[in-house]
Amino acid sequence: MTSGMSGMSGMLERARWAARAFARYDKASVDRVVAAVARAGADNATRYAEWAVRETGFGVAEHKALKNVACSTGLVEEYAGHDYVSPRTDAAQKIVSVPRPAGVVFALTPSTNPVATVYFKILLALMTRNAIVISPHPMAKECCADAARTLAAAAVEAGAPDGVIQVIEEPKLPLIESMMADPRVDVIVATGGTPVVRAAYRSGNPALGVGPGNVPVFVDRTADLESAARLIVDSKAFDNSILCTNESVLIAEDAIADRLVSLMRGAHLLSPADRDRVREAVFPGGRFDTRFVGKDATWIAQQAGVRVPPGTRVLLAPIDRPMPEEPLAHEKLCPVLALLRVPSTRAGIDAARAVLRISGAGHSAAIHSTDSRTIMEYGAAVPVLRVSVNSGNSLGGSGVHTNLPISMTIGTGYVGGSSAGENLQPGNLVNWTRLAYHVDAPFGDFTGLDPWSPPDGPVPRYPEPSNARTAPASPAAPAPQADVLREEIRRLILEELASLVRS
């Protein structure tokens, strides 16, 4: 753990030492570490959820706790049948694949999903035998640092090398930039705003980054309207829309729009005048005011001077066209949902494409329909890499309510300017060495062969050099003041120069 530039080198050296040791562990030893860390995460899910809301000031603790469980024991259950440690043999292709961990993972985590992302990235690193250094968002540094320390203690207790999980307790931009560019970092996993991701790509080290979301959700005339209405409201209200997968613009066919809105219990349809007040409050001068991130709908309405019924969870804001000049057509990490009516399926698909031209390309979209032809046409037309079908997208796009990989890091692929095109998963943090036989050569017998083994006895602590340990100063004998030291050094240098002249 470190809080400044002076500790950076020692932190990375410790991580490299841990990564080298951990890379020799066998599957059973890795599974033991992963299970212990996941249990520690789940056991503290509610505590850290409440802490994150207190520290950041946004989101819903109950919903954050659900994400924390999903990204701890839920994640381990999801990958229980996967093996990123043992060699794989393909006798038909005459290829043996040996896993090679990345090494040291430098992970940037956001303020929006702070602890869930810490859990998620730590477990992905451990499943693939990597060491990880967490760099939390400054707004969530306390809960994230404590969570990382808790998981680190559980890992070491279960037999992991000391230093396999570390955290920057006082993240500062110069320190983060320096660590991202350090050659001892093997891969950067960046979850956060566009500037952070671009900085990761500029660092010179391999990086996995993500782009922003701006999710269009299309409801056509064939949809199960009661289900669609419930799922959209629940998704948009989940954790006060803090997930980047939350719906941003609801596109509804005219034929069913009124019925859909009437079924959206907990959603309040704004009048044009109230819509303008909310727009001005949330987007003053056309730019999103981050004060509204993760705040609930009634608080937002109050700030805008708008009266809403008790129990309002989502503010529905009608718009005429999805264009860049319309602020409400942009990403909104709060429970304000733009509503656009369209005359036909074709117009709905075109509108979704227009929303994604504003921002969110490569990220996510959603559709509620029972027409397979429409669903296929929509999926092929919208420039995203995941489309939730008849599901809320907040937990659908992140894999909690669909069979996509559970993830807090959503790759946007080439169309979104990202090197990752899928929900980040363990396979992204491991490469495979292929032992490939000549096509006509007889294939060897690799039955029971495994280059890895359990650690031989208790794992030693990181071997810190003796000169790195500084004894605490005695209160009775305070250390010399800086100016006294400078004068002593100056005297010694002058004496040495004088002796050189005399000789």
Side-chain angles (χ1 to χ4, degrees):
M1 316 295 172
T2 187
S3 59
M5 192 76 74
S6 61
M8 182 193 80
S9 182
M11 172 176 274
L12 291 178
E13 284 299 325
R14 187 177 171 207
R16 286 180 68 82
W17 177 86
R20 285 193 298 268
F22 200 34
R24 304 294 306 176
Y25 279 37
D26 66 348
K27 180 71 163 58
S29 301
V30 171
D31 286 349
R32 189 162 49 251
V33 170
V34 168
V37 169
R39 281 196 304 273
D43 289 346
N44 289 277
T46 298
R47 181 167 74 92
Y48 286 130
E50 293 170 349
W51 190 341
V53 172
R54 283 197 310 273
E55 187 174 355
T56 64
F58 43 70
V60 179
E62 179 186 354
H63 297 167
K64 289 188 183 299
L66 187 154
K67 289 186 290 186
N68 290 348
V69 172
C71 291
S72 53
T73 50
L75 190 70
V76 173
E77 290 167 5
E78 174 81 8
Y79 290 105
H82 296 250
D83 185 349
Y84 302 98
V85 177
S86 307
R88 301 174 182 175
T89 301
D90 185 338
Q93 294 296 317
K94 298 182 179 180
I95 292 176
V96 180
S97 300
V98 182
R100 185 174 297 277
V104 176
V105 178
F106 185 65
L108 296 144
T109 61
S111 60
T112 48
N113 304 292
V115 177
T117 307
V118 168
Y119 282 9
F120 171 72
K121 291 185 177 180
I122 284 175
L123 282 168
L124 258 60
L126 296 179
M127 289 178 190
T128 48
R129 299 178 300 162
N130 290 293
I132 185 167
V133 177
I134 297 288
S135 177
H137 191 284
M139 285 184 64
K141 65 183 181 181
E142 292 178 6
C143 61
C144 288
D146 199 84
R149 287 193 296 267
T150 296
L151 269 55
V156 172
E157 179 68 22
D162 177 38
V164 76
I165 301 169
Q166 298 180 75
V167 63
I168 300 172
E169 298 186 7
E170 290 294 338
K172 299 284 175 43
L173 186 58
L175 172 65
I176 294 167
E177 289 180 339
S178 180
M179 291 191 80
M180 285 198 296
D182 196 288
R184 290 168 292 187
V185 168
D186 294 291
V187 63
I188 303 164
V189 183
T191 306
T194 299
V196 168
V197 174
R198 287 179 178 169
Y201 283 136
R202 289 196 303 267
S203 69
N205 279 322
L208 298 169
V210 299
N214 191 34
V215 179
V217 51
F218 177 43
V219 182
D220 77 0
R221 67 185 64 210
T222 74
D224 179 337
L225 296 183
E226 290 195 5
S227 175
R230 174 178 55 80
L231 289 167
I232 291 169
V233 172
D234 286 348
S235 179
K236 184 62 181 173
F238 184 80
D239 207 10
N240 287 340
S241 301
I242 210 73
L243 281 165
C244 58
T245 48
N246 83 82
E247 289 84 349
S248 182
V249 179
L250 169 57
I251 304 164
E253 277 199 76
D254 275 330
I256 52 86
D258 289 338
R259 173 68 175 155
L260 176 67
V261 170
S262 72
L263 291 169
M264 295 178 70
R265 297 173 183 87
H268 175 69
L269 181 63
L270 298 169
S271 67
D274 284 347
R275 182 265 325 273
D276 293 346
R277 293 187 185 97
V278 169
R279 180 199 286 128
E280 181 56 36
V282 176
F283 289 92
R287 298 179 64 86
F288 183 69
D289 186 341
T290 56
R291 289 190 307 121
F292 292 91
V293 170
K295 295 297 195 296
D296 64 62
T298 55
W299 186 88
I300 295 170
Q302 183 181 36
Q303 297 300 304
V306 172
R307 294 173 64 90
V308 297
T312 296
R313 301 165 64 203
V314 172
L315 302 178
L316 271 178
I319 63 173
D320 297 323
R321 288 180 294 276
M323 55 186 184
E325 294 79 12
E326 171 54 76
L328 292 167
H330 291 249
E331 184 181 36
K332 301 168 287 297
L333 294 179
C334 64
V336 176
L337 178 61
L339 171 63
L340 177 68
R341 298 168 185 256
V342 293
S344 65
T345 295
R346 182 69 260 168
I349 293 173
D350 289 343
R353 288 172 56 83
V355 169
L356 291 163
R357 280 197 295 271
I358 295 169
S359 68
H363 202 285
S364 309
I367 183 170
H368 293 265
S369 172
T370 58
D371 185 337
S372 298
R373 184 180 297 276
T374 297
I375 294 167
M376 175 67 81
E377 185 178 354
Y378 185 78
V382 291
V384 298
L385 299 181
R386 56 202 55 78
V387 177
S388 295
V389 180
N390 298 328
S391 172
N393 201 68
S394 283
L395 296 179
S398 55
V400 178
H401 285 172
T402 63
N403 288 320
L404 293 171
I406 295 174
S407 185
M408 289 293 111
T409 299
I410 308 296
T412 57
Y414 306 133
V415 67
S418 170
S419 60
E422 56 194 357
N423 288 13
L424 191 74
Q425 50 197 288
N428 295 117
L429 298 181
V430 62
N431 289 150
W432 296 81
T433 297
R434 265 78 184 195
L435 313 179
Y437 277 62
H438 188 286
V439 292
D440 295 327
F443 189 58
D445 181 5
F446 294 90
T447 305
L449 296 184
D450 190 340
W452 322 127
S453 61
D456 185 15
V459 180
R461 295 193 64 79
Y462 173 63
E464 296 182 22
S466 58
N467 61 2
R469 301 188 184 93
T470 304
S474 168
Q481 296 298 315
D483 54 348
V484 176
L485 284 174
R486 281 195 294 270
E487 283 300 313
E488 178 66 13
I489 292 169
R490 182 172 178 273
R491 183 185 65 77
L492 292 171
I493 292 172
L494 288 173
E495 283 186 1
E496 182 177 2
L497 289 173
S499 66
L500 289 172
V501 170
R502 286 194 298 270
S503 63

